[in-house]
Amino acid sequence: MASPRLPSAIRAPFEARTWRAFGYVLIGLPLSVLWFSLSVAFVSAGAGLLITFLGVPILAGALAMCRGFGAVERARARGLLGHDVGAPEPVRGRTGGAFSWMGAMLKSGASWRHLLYAIVHMPWAVFSFSVTVALWAWGWSLFTYPLWQWVFPTWVGQDGIQLYGDATHSFYLDAPFEIAVTSLIGLVFVLIGPWVLRGLVSVDRLLVTGLLGPSRLASRVTELESDRGVVVDTAAADLRRIERDLHDGAQARLAALAMDLGLAKEKLAQDPQAAAVLVDEAHGEVKLALQELRDLARGIHPAVLTDRGLDAALSAVASRCAVPVSVSVDLPARPVPAIEGIAYFTVSELLRNVTDHARARRAWVDVWRADDRLMLQVRDDGVGGAEASAGHRLAKLSERVGAVDGVLAVDSPAGGPTSVTVELPWRA
């Protein structure tokens, strides 16, 4: 039988995470002093020489040096704290020349944030280093005092740690009870130390994220560029799907219809009965082609969605599902057509997934508004195991939802049930 795990308060002093954080603080002080000294020296020299042209390249070089310091700090945070922060946007001049690069460096907000980090982090590193080393040294030395108390009478010539002393009186921690109390006080410091340390390095995480990472605007631009790529890829995939469906479905049937009508026209005078049979077959082909065109149009943007909204459109989708589906739509108004169309497509794909893979007996669809979000939830009582990771159908659906600042979350343990919740922005 496996022994129960120790409480986290007891495990904390011995965990690798704690010792990595301790190493981060120890290394941080000398590095921070170096960053501070070089940054202040070069920036001061550059600022002082701005009256001449020499100040501009020195100041730009100092900012570039600070960006190099930032790269080291991000790598240190990634390796010792497990805190991964992306690099800021690179500095590029318009023309690619030296003057253009210097101008871009001086106008780069990220470069000045790196300089601010080099200045601000030094006093913080001194404080965190002092607190951490003091706690660690006092905690472990007092906790292990029973093991090395013999050093005092053997080598120092006194009975133990001197707690108090003057010309006439002195008090040493040498009695068994006093040694035990000292060790217990050290144990308290040992147990408290890791949590104090984690609080200190959390400030370092904030500094690294806020000053050495990409700005919110740059992150948002990158996110929008990624979303734009997803939208373009999705639109291209939809066009290819529509073209394939038309080519393999309605277009093939219409071609067969044209051939049948041509044969019927040739036989109309000679064999009216055979021509009637061909016309009857052509009539059936027309019905099938119309049905396929309706299904294709329904998959893109059905007329019932445009005319009556999500409630009626999702009810129509549910009625065609292979398992019984309950639909509940509670919206104060209709969202804009783009969001409405994505909501319809998302629920349709999720219900198709229920039909193809869930082996469910029932499914439920709920749609409501929460503040500025349109919420969709599709649940089933199937076997579970659905994933939104790469290579699965839900991954593509998650990308499509994310392209409009939406979120798709899957809760599908093995054995079921499955619940897929989607958040879309609400735009009425």
Side-chain angles (χ1 to χ4, degrees):
M1 181 176 178
S3 59
R5 297 186 64 185
L6 294 172
S8 59
I10 298 177
R11 287 186 286 111
F14 308 98
E15 289 179 335
R17 169 189 173 186
T18 300
W19 288 98
R20 287 196 301 267
F22 184 63
Y24 180 88
V25 172
L26 290 184
I27 299 171
L29 179 60
L31 287 179
S32 183
V33 171
L34 179 63
W35 305 156
F36 179 87
S37 303
L38 292 175
S39 300
V40 171
F42 278 90
V43 170
S44 299
L49 293 173
L50 279 178
I51 193 171
T52 68
F53 178 74
L54 291 176
V56 175
I58 292 176
L59 192 55
L63 294 177
M65 178 182 64
C66 291
R67 291 176 72 101
F69 298 158
V72 175
E73 288 295 300
R74 288 193 300 272
R76 198 163 65 90
R78 186 182 309 114
L80 295 177
L81 301 182
H83 185 58
D84 192 4
V85 177
E89 60 278 10
V91 175
R92 297 189 182 93
R94 293 185 178 180
T95 62
F99 292 104
S100 178
W101 175 83
M102 286 187 288
M105 182 64 69
L106 293 174
K107 290 187 291 185
S108 171
S111 301
W112 291 101
R113 289 201 309 273
H114 280 66
L115 172 61
L116 180 60
Y117 177 88
I119 296 173
V120 170
H121 189 259
M122 198 275 288
W124 171 252
V126 172
F127 173 78
S128 61
F129 180 92
S130 304
V131 172
T132 300
V133 171
L135 275 176
W136 232 252
W138 279 102
W140 285 103
S141 61
L142 294 179
F143 177 54
T144 59
Y145 182 56
L147 301 178
W148 57 274
Q149 186 269 338
W150 60 270
V151 171
F152 287 94
T154 303
W155 300 103
V156 182
Q158 63 185 45
D159 296 331
I161 296 177
Q162 185 176 5
L163 193 63
Y164 168 78
D166 57 20
T168 58
H169 298 87
S170 60
F171 183 78
Y172 297 97
L173 300 174
D174 55 350
F177 177 75
E178 296 166 354
I179 295 174
V181 171
T182 302
S183 181
L184 288 176
I185 294 173
L187 177 60
V188 172
F189 283 136
V190 167
L191 296 178
I192 292 175
W195 305 102
V196 175
L197 175 61
R198 292 177 186 181
L200 294 173
V201 297
S202 67
V203 177
D204 286 277
R205 288 191 179 94
L206 292 175
L207 289 174
V208 171
T209 302
L211 297 178
L212 302 183
S215 64
R216 292 185 178 180
L217 178 59
S219 300
R220 183 58 177 163
V221 169
T222 302
E223 181 182 349
L224 291 176
E225 289 177 348
S226 176
D227 291 345
R228 182 181 63 184
V230 171
V231 170
V232 171
D233 293 342
T234 300
D238 288 342
L239 288 175
R240 289 194 298 270
R241 177 179 60 84
I242 294 170
E243 181 182 7
R244 184 179 63 252
D245 292 344
L246 287 173
H247 182 272
D248 298 340
Q251 182 178 342
R253 293 193 182 279
L254 291 174
L257 171 64
M259 294 177 60
D260 290 344
L261 290 176
L263 291 174
K265 181 180 179 181
E266 293 178 358
K267 293 187 177 183
L268 184 60
Q270 301 174 358
D271 191 355
Q273 189 173 2
V277 172
L278 290 173
V279 170
D280 185 62
E281 293 177 354
H283 182 252
E285 290 291 331
V286 169
K287 289 183 177 180
L288 291 174
L290 287 174
Q291 183 61 40
E292 289 182 354
L293 289 173
R294 289 194 191 98
D295 292 340
L296 182 60
R298 187 183 296 117
I300 301 171
H301 197 94
V304 66
L305 178 62
T306 303
D307 296 338
R308 301 172 56 191
L310 273 175
D311 195 356
L314 295 182
S315 297
V317 173
S319 66
R320 297 191 299 271
C321 192
V323 299
V325 180
S326 300
V327 178
S328 174
V329 178
D330 183 15
L331 297 177
R334 292 182 61 175
V336 294
I339 298 299
E340 197 173 53
I342 292 176
Y344 171 83
F345 177 83
T346 301
V347 174
S348 299
E349 288 296 304
L350 291 175
L351 289 179
R352 183 183 301 177
N353 200 59
V354 170
T355 301
D356 295 344
H357 305 292
R359 288 183 283 174
R361 293 186 299 273
R362 285 195 61 83
W364 296 265
V365 175
D366 296 295
V367 182
W368 71 98
R369 178 184 174 182
D371 297 328
D372 60 344
R373 308 294 282 180
L374 173 62
M375 307 295 297
L376 315 171
Q377 188 175 68
V378 177
R379 297 174 289 122
D380 66 71
D381 58 358
V383 297
E387 297 181 17
S389 55
H392 294 78
R393 177 187 291 181
L394 292 180
K396 290 292 184 183
L397 191 59
S398 179
E399 290 180 357
R400 183 185 288 253
V401 169
V404 292
D405 284 342
V407 179
L408 184 144
V410 180
D411 180 17
S412 182
T418 296
S419 175
V420 181
T421 304
V422 178
E423 293 186 20
L424 295 172
W426 175 267
R427 302 189 186 103

